[in-house]
Amino acid sequence: MGRLRLALLLLPLFLGACAHSGRPATYLVEQSGPYLLDSGDVLRVSVYGDANLTNTYRVDDSGAIAMPLVGAVQARGATTEALSRKVASALAAGYMRNPNVAVEVAEYRPFFIQGAVGSSGQYSYSYGMTVRAAISAAGGFTDTANRNTATIYRRQGNEMVKGSVELDFPILPGDTIVIAERWI
């Protein structure tokens, strides 16, 4: 009887240790909304019926793509859908009648990782990456790495924001991830 009573007393303790808070994690860095284009992205622009205009274009340092006939078209801060409308509008202004334009990201701009990882540096981004995947791309943790959280620096508008995040937090192209060392 004594063992049963002890087991019943300890059961809530064990179950409490396994419980999940159920609260969503909060982060300083924004993680929602459509993908916004910026310098370094490579875009595949398809203009239906014109093979000469259909090509890949890199968003330059000024945030624009340079296309034949229309010249520079501002892409920074736009979605692919908004950019396709801008390109179609520019082509419709004297070059084509009712142009049909599609824009998709062919190659995302890179992300950066530094700190207690195997090899700090710049890496190619793949859609849907998390901090954990970025750490793997950088050669994994060093022996002294903090394996629970990371710090992300992300540009939001004209500001650079910083947030402490868990390893399953989604990253975006252009993010800088810092893995700290643990102090134990």
Side-chain angles (χ1 to χ4, degrees):
M1 182 71 175
R3 289 184 189 196
L4 179 61
R5 182 176 288 168
L6 180 62
L8 289 174
L9 286 172
L10 293 178
L11 183 62
L13 233 162
F14 290 122
L15 292 177
C18 297
H20 179 39
S21 70
R23 294 178 302 151
T26 57
Y27 302 105
L28 296 174
V29 290
E30 185 177 319
Q31 58 179 338
S32 62
Y35 180 70
L36 301 178
L37 302 171
D38 206 345
S39 298
D41 287 329
V42 177
L43 309 175
R44 186 175 302 109
V45 179
S46 302
V47 180
Y48 181 73
D50 194 327
N52 292 328
L53 292 175
T54 298
N55 206 342
T56 56
Y57 301 92
R58 181 175 297 276
V59 180
D60 63 21
D61 292 341
S62 68
I65 58 172
M67 292 189 64
L69 297 179
V70 296
V73 179
Q74 191 62 32
R76 177 178 286 139
T79 62
T80 54
E81 191 175 305
L83 182 60
S84 65
R85 288 192 302 268
K86 282 184 184 182
V87 171
S89 176
L91 289 171
Y95 300 105
M96 296 179 81
R97 200 173 353 170
N98 298 323
N100 187 355
V101 178
V103 176
E104 62 183 331
V105 179
E107 182 182 317
Y108 293 97
R109 61 190 178 274
F111 69 90
F112 306 88
I113 189 165
Q114 60 189 31
V117 292
S119 183
S120 297
Q122 170 181 311
Y123 290 91
S124 297
Y125 174 82
S126 296
Y127 182 79
M129 283 187 88
T130 62
V131 172
R132 191 179 310 274
I135 292 166
S136 293
F141 289 113
T142 62
D143 292 338
T144 60
N146 176 349
R147 297 167 186 250
N148 298 320
T149 61
T151 302
I152 289 189
Y153 294 86
R154 180 176 290 171
R155 180 163 303 286
Q156 290 181 346
N158 292 330
E159 290 183 31
M160 183 66 74
V161 295
K162 171 184 169 182
S164 179
V165 299
E166 295 170 354
L167 300 184
D168 291 322
F169 182 80
I171 67 167
L172 293 176
D175 282 354
T176 299
I177 304 161
V178 179
I179 305 300
E181 292 186 5
R182 62 178 177 226
W183 296 97
I184 296 176

